[in-house]
Amino acid sequence: CMPSESAVLFVRPAQLSKSVPYAYAAIAAAGRPIFTAGACPLDADGNIVTVGDIAGQSRQVMANLITTLHAAGAQATDIVKTTVYVASSRREDLVTAWEIVRGSLGDHDAPSTLLGVAVLGYPDQLVEVEAVAVAAP
């Protein structure tokens, strides 16, 4: 699929902290909405990769998410919002996942929610990321 021009405008209110590593809101211009399932740390055979390694699983999750977006005719810069799930109650683990997710998006600091959860769907799964994107019509 051809890359699309970004149809996303980020909102950063002057009254709110500038120290957060994401926009507070996003406006999706006219375009094709794309809603992804949660990207999981699965290889092409459906196996969980890097068991016990949040960073390794985060890298696989983002690679899978970008592949899904490309298949839908979009790219990372078309993301409007992400939700990042980490199967951990430790803040350090959430930060590890977040740094890789955020790093995968470069300067595209889409609004995001980062959550520590008790368990994810696959055995040994530690990370999952879902996204909402909008691609040019």
Side-chain angles (χ1 to χ4, degrees), residues 8-137:
V8 180
L9 174 67
F10 292 135
V11 178
R12 297 176 182 88
Q15 304 90 328
L16 300 179
S17 174
K18 292 172 182 37
S19 67
V20 298
Y22 49 82
Y24 283 95
I27 300 168
R32 296 177 302 108
I34 299 166
F35 303 89
T36 73
C40 298
L42 301 174
D43 63 17
D45 295 324
N47 299 309
I48 292 289
V49 301
T50 62
V51 172
D53 179 6
I54 288 174
Q57 288 195 11
S58 297
R59 284 189 285 277
Q60 183 70 43
V61 162
M62 292 310 292
N64 291 349
L65 179 62
I66 300 302
T67 297
T68 299
L69 289 172
H70 288 171
Q75 54 194 351
T77 54
D78 294 319
I79 292 174
V80 177
K81 182 186 186 310
T82 61
T83 305
V84 181
Y85 303 92
V86 183
S88 177
S89 61
R90 297 181 53 222
R91 185 177 180 282
E92 311 85 71
D93 292 340
L94 276 67
V95 170
T96 295
W98 171 252
E99 288 174 348
I100 291 166
V101 169
R102 183 72 189 87
S104 299
L105 300 179
D107 291 336
H108 189 74
D109 58 349
S112 186
T113 300
L114 174 62
L115 303 165
V117 299
V119 67
L120 291 167
Y122 290 97
D124 298 316
Q125 180 183 1
L126 299 173
V127 181
E128 186 165 331
V129 177
E130 65 182 15
V132 176
V134 62

